[in-house]
Amino acid sequence: MDKQRCSWANPANPLYLAYHDTEWGVPCHDERRLFEMLNLEGAQAGLSWETILNKREHYRKAFDQWDAKKIAAYGPDKVAELLANPGIVRNRLKVAAAITNAQAYLRLLESGSSLDKLLWSYVGGKPLPRGEWPRPTRTELSDRISKDLGKLGFKFVGSTIIYAYMQGIGMVDDHAPDCFCRKARK
């Protein structure tokens, strides 16, 4: 018998199923992945998550495995290279945002904090209890995190993007009530 999954998990895409089954809604404390996912969620604005997920390996290669120190130093030649790369979304504002985000992220680290410390402080270090269903696209908490990240200099961090980010990194587990992941993680 097939596993019951959230309706958004495209059964024809093995990458999407693996992401749904093993990443989405699972608490993440890995700094590099937190930085990667913040940028990928921003890149997704106006597109489907499946599009970005299918390009994730290209993004990793193009953005030096999400090494923030390297990204923060990107100049015009690297930007031109990225904008010519068919493996990523070639949007000037989104590429610029990744560079700006790397700079903001490094400032955050220099202040003695980290994405892990900052983000998980909003929820006391534990994923939020299962929320309402159907799941929202933004919440008061995503509004607050969005504003706070914006004040720190991060770009493409609107409330809807941040709520999707919170789901992706497991700050909230919004698997559908009949999804096997929700039942397995009670």
Side-chain angles (χ1 to χ4, degrees):
M1 183 160 109
D2 286 337
K3 293 179 180 177
Q4 182 70 35
R5 291 182 171 88
C6 296
S7 61
W8 56 262
N10 179 358
N13 185 337
L15 279 176
Y16 216 21
L17 291 182
Y19 174 75
H20 170 273
D21 294 357
T22 64
E23 289 184 61
W24 196 76
V26 176
C28 175
H29 297 280
D30 178 84
E31 279 296 307
R32 190 166 298 218
R33 182 159 177 268
L34 291 170
F35 179 67
E36 172 187 32
M37 291 300 290
L38 182 66
N39 283 289
L40 292 179
E41 289 291 354
Q44 186 246 334
L47 303 168
S48 73
W49 177 245
E50 188 170 14
T51 297
I52 300 303
L53 188 62
N54 288 336
K55 294 177 177 282
R56 181 159 62 169
E57 288 306 319
H58 295 285
Y59 268 97
R60 286 175 175 161
K61 184 176 179 186
F63 283 91
D64 291 296
Q65 303 300 316
W66 295 105
D67 182 325
K69 287 181 182 178
K70 289 181 180 178
I71 297 168
Y74 286 176
D77 290 344
K78 180 64 176 186
V79 170
E81 176 187 316
L82 290 167
L83 293 174
N85 185 336
I88 67 167
V89 175
R90 295 175 285 179
N91 176 297
R92 185 173 298 281
L93 293 176
K94 292 177 181 182
V95 168
I99 298 166
T100 300
N101 288 350
Q103 295 162 349
Y105 174 66
L106 293 176
R107 286 191 303 273
L108 180 66
L109 294 178
E110 289 168 6
S111 77
S113 190
S114 66
L115 280 174
D116 184 54
K117 288 178 190 174
L118 175 68
L119 295 167
W120 287 95
S121 72
Y122 290 96
V123 294
K126 298 177 185 174
L128 294 173
R130 297 200 191 285
E132 59 200 68
W133 195 260
R135 62 183 169 264
T137 57
R138 52 157 291 282
T139 63
E140 288 181 19
L141 180 56
S142 67
D143 291 348
R144 194 165 96 228
I145 295 171
S146 170
K147 286 179 186 172
D148 291 350
L149 288 172
K151 288 176 188 174
L152 292 171
F154 289 89
K155 301 294 182 197
F156 277 86
V157 291
S159 186
T160 301
I161 290 170
I162 292 303
Y163 192 75
Y165 179 56
M166 291 168 62
Q167 292 170 312
I169 64 168
M171 287 177 70
V172 61
D173 183 352
D174 277 345
H175 283 281
D178 59 348
C179 177
F180 85 94
C181 291
R182 185 178 187 108
K183 293 174 182 176
R185 296 182 190 138
K186 282 185 179 179

